[in-house]
Amino acid sequence: MAVIEPVTDDEGIGALVSQLVDDARGLASAEVALVKARIGERMSAYKNAAIFFVIAGTLGLAALIALLVGLILSLATLIGPGLATAAVVIGTLAIAAVLAIIGKGRLSPGAPQ
């Protein structure tokens, strides 16, 4: 950081302008460093949150797969393994299609949120 020195009568306007420019550069550099530090801190927080969201999503997907396998095994005793698998897959795809249509509708312009 620039040290402010007292102005003497021997210094001219040129020296004062030079000192002003140096001070402005120092201030700009300090502001840029501050902004970089703040962005780095925020990115670190978002990175940690994203890691937890990915882990939560992975565990949620594993739970959904376990639920579907359990449903297939439960239905297999009633209608057989092939039909149970087909029924669960068709039901799951139907739910996925409905959710995709709803999502597509929300992306179209002018659609209510």
Side-chain angles (χ1 to χ4, degrees):
M1 178 175 237
V3 176
I4 299 175
E5 299 174 7
V7 179
T8 61
D9 292 336
D10 295 340
E11 295 180 1
I13 298 251
L16 292 174
V17 170
S18 174
Q19 184 177 359
L20 178 65
V21 169
D22 289 341
D23 290 345
R25 283 184 186 152
L27 177 63
S29 297
E31 288 292 329
V32 167
L34 177 63
V35 169
K36 283 182 181 180
R38 286 183 178 169
I39 289 174
E41 183 178 322
R42 287 184 184 163
M43 292 304 292
S44 176
Y46 288 134
K47 177 182 160 188
N48 289 336
I51 289 170
F52 282 106
F53 279 125
V54 167
I55 292 170
T58 302
L59 291 175
L61 182 60
L64 179 63
I65 291 170
L67 176 70
L68 294 174
V69 169
L71 185 60
I72 290 171
L73 292 175
S74 297
L75 287 176
T77 60
L78 300 173
I79 59 176
L83 286 176
T85 301
V88 170
V89 168
I90 290 170
T92 304
L93 289 177
I95 293 171
V98 168
L99 292 174
I101 291 169
I102 292 171
K104 181 182 175 194
R106 292 195 179 184
L107 285 178
S108 63
Q113 298 293 326

